[in-house]
Each structure stands twice: as structure tokens, then as C-alpha cells.
Amino acid sequence: GVTITIAAAPGWPTCPIAALKAMYIELPHQAQAPLFEQPDGKPLSYSFFIKHLWDSLTLAGFKPENYAGHSFRHGAASEAAAAGYSDYEIQLLG
């Protein structure tokens, strides 16, 4: 596993800490469970994420071909680098 430090944004509706706390209340996890899981309990895979992202975008009326999972990885890597993570640690994030 990888430890990721997440900054709180108290009072903001987009606060990641508040969102995680709400998620754990609704969907309790064991301490060592992956943060994001597929319905079968396996860690969230890239292919599962993309398929369901595209399904959700289609249902919302967007063209899924305009979105790519790589954008999420690139954004996460950029944020991790800005936060001081080493290249090795960023690679561990996937």
C-alpha cells in the first residue's frame, strides 16, 4: 500500500477529508482494505474505473471519448510532485 497525505479544506463542500469521513460512515472499511474497491471487494482496477467513468459520462449526456483515465493519473502525479513526493513514490501511486 501507499500512504497519501490529504489536506483538509474545512467548510468547503469539496473537502476531501469530509468526503472520506462520510464515505466511511456509509461504507465502513476494515483498516487494511483498499480505499476504493470494486463490488467484488478487489482493489479498484484501471479498466473497471474507465468503463464506469465512461458509462457515467454517457448517462450524464457527455461524450466519453473526450475523457481519458490518463488525465487522472497525470493530475495525481503532478499534485504529488508539487507536494514533494519522490519520483519513486509517485510511481508507486500507479
Side-chain angles (χ1 to χ4, degrees), residues 46-79:
Y46 179 79
S47 60
F48 184 92
F49 174 76
I50 294 302
K51 180 196 179 315
H52 287 85
L53 171 66
W54 281 25
D55 289 349
S56 298
L57 288 167
T58 300
L59 285 172
F62 294 96
K63 294 181 181 180
E65 59 272 11
N66 292 338
Y67 299 85
H70 181 75
S71 301
F72 290 94
R73 287 183 175 188
H74 185 271
S78 296
E79 288 298 316

Side-chain angles (χ1 to χ4, degrees), residues 4-6 8 11-12 14 20 24 29 33-34 38-39 41 47 52 55 59-61 64 70 83-86 89-90:
I4 301 173
T5 302
I6 301 173
W12 288 81
T14 56
L20 285 170
Y24 278 115
H29 281 67
Q38 297 175 178
S47 60
H52 287 85
D55 289 349
L59 285 172
H70 181 75
Y85 284 84
S86 71
E89 291 170 318
I90 293 169

Side-chain angles (χ1 to χ4, degrees), residues 1-2 29 32-50 52 73 92-93:
V2 177
H29 281 67
Q32 297 303 315
L35 179 59
F36 299 108
E37 298 176 336
Q38 297 175 178
D40 61 6
K42 294 179 183 174
L44 182 67
S45 71
Y46 179 79
S47 60
F48 184 92
F49 174 76
I50 294 302
H52 287 85
R73 287 183 175 188
L92 289 175
L93 296 174

